Amino acid sequence: MKGIGNLAQRSIKWRFKNPVTIIMTMIQPLMWLLLFANLFNANDPNFMSFILAGILVMAILFSSGMSGIANYSLKESGSYYRVMISPISRKSIIIAHIVDAVVLSGIQIAVLLLISFMFGTRIQSGLLGLFSIIILLLVMVAFVSTISYLLSSAIPDENGFIAIINTFTLPLFFLSTALVQKESLSKLFQVLVSINPFTYVINSLRNLITESAIDWQLYGLSILVMLILAILCIGITSKKIETVE
């Protein structure tokens, strides 16, 4: 636990010394939240509540997806490789990275929720729903940030890493129920949306935000999907970085 704490503290300290990594990943989700809320508010005053679930997922895709970029700075300083040859377990290194991503994503989620509350959005499922939202988002952060760490370990060039993250982030967002209900899409897109794991997260978040009755079956499914993916990615990533010298 001490090793995880030290590594997480180092990453978080680097993060706040480079606040641009926090600001840049926050701009797009924030713009989307405000832009779509204002565009469609006249037709549907509850539209911000509807899209908030998708915007929260977008924020994590950007922030946790980009969390691995810190490794390129650490590689230049040599500290990345010093950690890799240390006796600390590889899973501890990944968990420390996840903690850093939780802090980064947590700041953005808090800002998005605060702004949406200022516009009248409320969590209809109450404190239990808010707690459930936080747990689901934490599991998603674990999955996305581990993928980011894996990519930053495998891709030698920082520009290549950024290109790959940007290539997949928006398609994953659009090929989900972030902006529209699945039933309003064509059958081809319904299939694509159904195989997107983030669709289940968005649907569950939307239920927690807009409904007083929690759909525990949907919530359990979304948690299970993210948890399985996170565990698989942690296992794959720990084996991958074992070869780093």
Side-chain angles (χ1 to χ4, degrees):
M1 288 299 292
K2 184 179 179 181
I4 294 174
N6 290 337
L7 289 175
Q9 185 179 26
R10 182 200 64 178
S11 296
I12 294 168
K13 188 181 294 185
W14 179 91
R15 186 76 57 192
F16 282 97
K17 285 182 178 178
N18 297 271
V20 68
T21 61
I22 301 174
I23 296 168
M24 292 306 294
T25 54
M26 184 186 296
I27 289 175
Q28 193 156 355
L30 187 57
M31 287 179 61
W32 278 69
L33 181 67
L34 296 174
L35 176 65
F36 276 89
N38 285 302
L39 279 176
F40 296 97
N41 188 56
N43 297 325
D44 184 358
N46 297 317
F47 191 71
M48 179 173 280
S49 298
F50 177 82
I51 65 167
L52 179 58
I55 300 299
L56 290 174
V57 168
M58 174 192 262
I60 292 177
L61 287 174
F62 273 103
S63 59
S64 294
M66 281 293 187
S67 61
I69 201 168
N71 282 335
Y72 292 97
S73 176
L74 298 175
K75 285 176 181 178
E76 288 181 6
S77 67
S79 57
Y80 174 84
Y81 300 101
R82 288 195 292 272
V83 170
M84 289 302 166
I85 62 175
S86 68
I88 190 169
S89 74
R90 297 302 181 247
K91 284 187 174 64
S92 295
I93 295 172
I94 299 167
I95 292 171
H97 175 78
I98 292 173
V99 172
D100 170 52
V102 165
V103 172
L104 174 61
S105 297
I107 293 170
Q108 301 193 2
I109 290 165
V111 170
L112 290 169
L113 286 175
L114 179 61
I115 290 174
S116 65
F117 290 163
M118 290 171 61
F119 278 84
T121 298
R122 295 293 180 267
I123 307 298
Q124 297 301 319
S125 54
L127 287 177
L128 178 59
L130 180 60
F131 178 75
S132 301
I133 288 171
I134 292 170
I135 296 298
L136 178 53
L137 292 177
L138 284 176
V139 179
M140 181 181 165
V141 168
F143 167 49
V144 177
S145 61
T146 305
I147 286 284
S148 181
Y149 193 96
L150 176 61
L151 291 173
S152 68
S153 300
I155 301 171
D157 180 63
E158 181 178 343
N159 292 325
F161 169 82
I162 294 172
I164 287 185
I165 295 297
N166 288 335
T167 297
F168 285 97
T169 298
L170 283 179
L172 283 170
F173 175 74
F174 282 115
L175 290 175
S176 70
T177 53
L179 299 177
V180 294
Q181 295 285 6
K182 177 182 170 182
E183 292 73 22
S184 64
L185 299 171
S186 66
K187 289 191 177 182
L188 173 60
F189 279 98
Q190 285 188 27
V191 172
L192 295 174
V193 164
S194 295
I195 62 178
N196 182 351
F198 300 111
T199 291
Y200 303 98
V201 177
I202 291 170
N203 289 344
S204 184
L205 290 173
R206 183 168 292 141
N207 167 253
L208 292 165
I209 294 168
T210 62
E211 304 290 339
S212 58
I214 299 175
D215 186 340
W216 290 112
Q217 184 175 359
L218 176 60
Y219 183 78
L221 176 62
S222 57
I223 283 278
L224 183 62
V225 169
M226 287 293 108
L227 191 60
I228 290 172
L229 290 172
I231 291 171
L232 286 173
C233 286
I234 289 172
I236 293 169
T237 305
S238 62
K239 288 182 180 179
K240 169 66 176 67
I241 63 178
E242 281 177 0
T243 62
V244 176
E245 298 181 356

